[in-house]
Each structure stands twice: as structure tokens, then as C-alpha cells.
Amino acid sequence: MRLIACLITVLVFFYLLEKPIKKHATLFYIATIIISVLSVLAPKKGLPFVIDYLVKNILARGTLAGALFILVMVASVCPAAKLRGLLLRTRGEMAIIAALLTLIHNISYGKHYFVALFTKISDLDAPRIFAAVLSLVMIVLLIPLTLTSFMVIRKKMNPKKWKSLQRLSYIFYGLLFIHISMIFSISIAKGHLSTLFDLTVYVIIYIAYLICRAKKYEKQRVLCILFMVLICALYIPIAVMGFKGSKTQKENVTTEENVSTKASSDAAYKDGTYEGSATGYSGQMTVSVTVSCCKISEINIVDTGDDEEYLIDAKDVIPQIIEKQSTEVDAVSGATHSSKGIINAVAKALESAKE
């Protein structure tokens, strides 16, 4: 749904502001850079809900940049004449703004995944390693594509050489789809069908693009059909894995909530440090619970596959549990699965601490 909302928003934005964007493109590029810098430097907590959602779910995740890249991709084969005209007239500006917005995504995630890739690759699973490598390749491709999208540079280039260079964009779009599929597969494998829906939207868009391209360019039909088959071959196993994961997750969560008796505020515990595990967003969440003077004094996350962006908010349940001396606290909105994982893991640890 986020991608669809971004696509609609971008189309409306460029439709209403086409003339100012074409006339004062540099100002819009500067504004995009400012937004990117502010998003990267924005505090992780304490922002108003709307701004926090935009930064974390639209900008940092690369959804807005992805929507812009998709519109640039489909511009030449869009079947609607008026829409095609708008996209063709503005796709250069769209491409540059999209590239500038990817700074937010690459910095927000790269500071962890790129660093881990080169310093401690064992901390990453196979899909994340593959996705990180693809990101680096896409960055290398994006640099010349973006620079040559600026009219001041494009005008100085030989038209044939410029067109040949721009063909790299097709490789970029293909890698973008694979990158998205790898990242989404991690969540889908854990049974999060909302992410499967998001991936389905991308699949529909890419297949529609290939169909339109096959109709317009007869010589490319076989190649387009081949790519459609490859997309389906990648998507179907992920979808099957998602439905199986959803069933398993429901069973695990139900078991955890039934077996892990919620710690009540009047319960007494033996002093010591205890560990417990439960299902988080991307797998097992393990916590250690320290009991001092028969009371919960400290809770730490020992191991988790969940991304830091979820953990930042999910950790809010920890001081609540300590204050209440109970796991009967509400999950955190926006980090529901991660916070529930912490709550259930603490409950399991406290089972061992009961006198």
C-alpha cells in the first residue's frame, strides 16, 4: 500500500508542479538534498507521528525513491498518452530526485549492513548479504546514470554515447527488483503476509511493464517473456514460503502466549540472570532478565534477527515491564511483532525465575 500511495503522490506532485520543476529544477534538487540530510540526522524517537512515519517508512525504506524509479522505468511504454507525455517530459528530474532520495535509504541501512558486510559478515544471513552486495552494485550503476541525467552534462555528451550509457538503467531496474525480493523474503519467510502483498504489487508493476514493452517493441518480446518467467520463478517460491511461514508463526505465537504465563506484579522471583526466547519480527528474540532482591532490575536483548529500526521503538516495553514488574504491558504500535517478542521472551525467562 505504501508504494501505491507514493506512486499516486508523485504523479500528482509532478502533474501540478511540472512547469516549476522544469524551470527551477536545481531548487528542487537542493530541497531534496536538504530533506535527505534532515532525514538521516533526524532523532530516532520523539518526532511527531506523521513525520516519524514518513522518515522511517517512506524515506528510509526507499519506498518514495522506488516509486520514482518505477515511473522513470515505465515512462516510454506507458499506454496512456497523456500520462506517458508527463512522464517523458519529467523523467530526467524524476531520476535525479530518486537518486538523491536513495541517500537516505543507503545511509540508514548501509551504516549497519555495509559495515557488517566488510567487517563481520557472519552477522548477516544469506539474503541480507546478497541484498547488500546488490545495493553496492546499484550504487555504482546509479552514479553515472544520475550524473548524465543533468542537462548540463547531457548536452556535452555525444547523443549515441549518452543513449548507450542509459541502457545501464535496465540492469539497475532488474537488480532493484531482485534486491527488493531478497529483503522482503526475510520478512515473508517469517509469515508476514503484509510484506508479501507489498512484493505482489512490485511483481504486478514489473510484469505490466514487460507486457507493455513487448507490445511496443516486437524484437524484444522473447526477452520480455523470459524476464516475466524469471520474475514468476522468483516470486512463487517466496509466496509459498510466506503462507507456510504465516501458519507456523501463528502456531508459535499461540504456543508462546499460552505456555509463557504472564508475570504478575505480585510474583516473587529468585535472584539471578535468566534467559528466554520468543518469536520476534524476523525470527527468534532472546533476552536476559536480571532479578535483584526478588524484583526485575534489568532486561537486555541478547540476540535477535530484527532490524534496529524496529528495536528502537520495541525497546520501549522494557522500562514498562520493569516499572510494572509484569509483562502485562501493551505492544508498541509500529513495532508490534518485535515488542511482543520481547514481552514473551521476558515472560519465558521469568518462568525460570519463579520461586
Side-chain angles (χ1 to χ4, degrees):
M1 289 299 292
R2 286 192 297 264
L3 176 63
I4 296 173
C6 285
L7 287 170
I8 294 171
T9 301
V10 168
L11 284 173
V12 172
F13 181 82
F14 275 84
Y15 174 76
L16 295 176
L17 298 176
E18 179 185 352
K19 289 183 178 179
I21 291 172
K22 297 296 291 185
K23 188 175 181 180
H24 305 290
T26 302
L27 294 178
F28 283 89
Y29 301 153
I30 293 172
T32 303
I33 293 172
I34 292 172
I35 291 172
S36 298
V37 172
L38 291 177
S39 298
V40 171
L41 298 178
K44 299 299 182 183
K45 301 183 70 63
L47 292 173
F49 173 77
V50 174
I51 296 176
D52 185 71
Y53 182 84
L54 288 173
V55 170
K56 291 180 179 178
N57 294 284
I58 303 300
L59 297 174
R61 283 176 173 270
T63 310
L64 183 58
L68 284 162
F69 280 130
I70 284 172
L71 292 176
V72 174
M73 178 181 74
V74 304
S76 62
V77 298
C78 179
K82 288 186 177 180
L83 179 57
R84 182 172 66 251
L86 172 65
L87 295 177
L88 288 174
R89 290 191 300 271
T90 58
R91 65 177 175 177
E93 291 78 12
M94 281 187 181
I96 293 170
I97 291 174
L100 294 173
L101 287 174
T102 58
L103 289 172
I104 307 171
H105 177 68
N106 287 322
I107 293 174
S108 298
Y109 286 84
K111 62 186 178 184
H112 172 70
Y113 293 111
F114 291 160
V115 172
L117 184 64
F118 292 107
T119 60
K120 200 173 182 182
I121 196 171
S122 59
D123 285 350
L124 304 178
D125 52 23
R128 286 187 173 94
I129 292 172
F130 192 36
V133 172
L134 285 181
S135 291
L136 293 175
V137 175
M138 286 191 291
I139 290 171
V140 172
L141 289 172
L142 196 57
I143 292 172
L145 288 171
T146 303
L147 291 176
T148 54
S149 293
F150 287 97
M151 287 305 297
V152 66
I153 296 178
R154 179 178 175 179
K155 288 178 180 178
K156 294 180 180 180
M157 293 183 66
N158 179 288
K160 289 185 178 180
K161 289 184 178 180
W162 181 86
K163 194 170 183 179
S164 296
L165 179 63
Q166 289 301 307
R167 289 195 180 99
L168 291 174
S169 62
Y170 298 117
I171 300 175
F172 175 84
Y173 299 140
L175 294 178
L176 177 62
F177 178 79
I178 298 172
H179 171 77
I180 290 168
S181 298
M182 290 298 97
I183 292 298
F184 283 8
S185 70
I186 299 168
S187 174
I188 293 170
K190 303 304 178 183
H192 303 298
L193 297 184
S194 59
T195 309
L196 177 60
F197 174 81
D198 292 338
L199 180 59
T200 303
V201 173
Y202 279 98
V203 170
I204 292 171
I205 290 172
Y206 269 76
I207 288 180
Y209 163 73
L210 290 169
I211 290 173
C212 291
R213 191 165 190 88
K215 287 183 178 180
K216 186 172 181 177
Y217 303 104
E218 185 175 349
K219 292 182 179 180
Q220 298 180 8
R221 285 181 181 175
V222 174
L223 191 60
C224 289
I225 292 171
L226 176 61
F227 283 132
M228 281 189 276
V229 171
L230 291 175
I231 287 173
C232 291
L234 180 62
Y235 171 75
I236 292 172
I238 293 175
V240 171
M241 183 172 59
F243 286 111
K244 289 182 178 179
S246 177
K247 182 179 179 181
T248 302
Q249 185 201 44
K250 288 178 182 178
E251 292 173 351
N252 289 342
V253 170
T254 300
T255 301
E256 288 165 3
E257 291 180 347
N258 290 336
V259 173
S260 301
T261 305
K262 300 301 182 183
S264 60
S265 56
D266 58 350
Y269 307 110
K270 295 177 287 186
D271 287 0
T273 300
Y274 307 88
E275 285 194 0
S277 297
T279 305
Y281 183 81
S282 295
Q284 282 292 97
M285 174 85 68
T286 301
V287 304
S288 67
V289 180
T290 300
V291 177
S292 300
C293 300
C294 301
K295 296 291 183 182
I296 304 168
S297 61
E298 187 177 4
I299 298 172
N300 292 301
I301 296 175
V302 176
D303 187 38
T304 178
D306 292 6
D307 289 332
E308 184 63 25
E309 61 175 299
Y310 295 111
L311 289 178
I312 288 170
D313 292 329
K315 288 177 182 177
D316 284 347
V317 299
I318 292 177
Q320 294 179 38
I321 293 172
I322 294 174
E323 181 183 354
K324 281 191 169 186
Q325 290 294 302
S326 170
T327 53
E328 294 179 353
V329 297
D330 294 328
V332 178
S333 177
T336 305
H337 296 289
S338 293
S339 54
K340 280 186 175 180
I342 294 174
I343 293 169
N344 290 332
V346 170
K348 282 196 171 184
L350 291 176
E351 280 292 292
S352 303
K354 284 186 177 180
E355 290 186 337

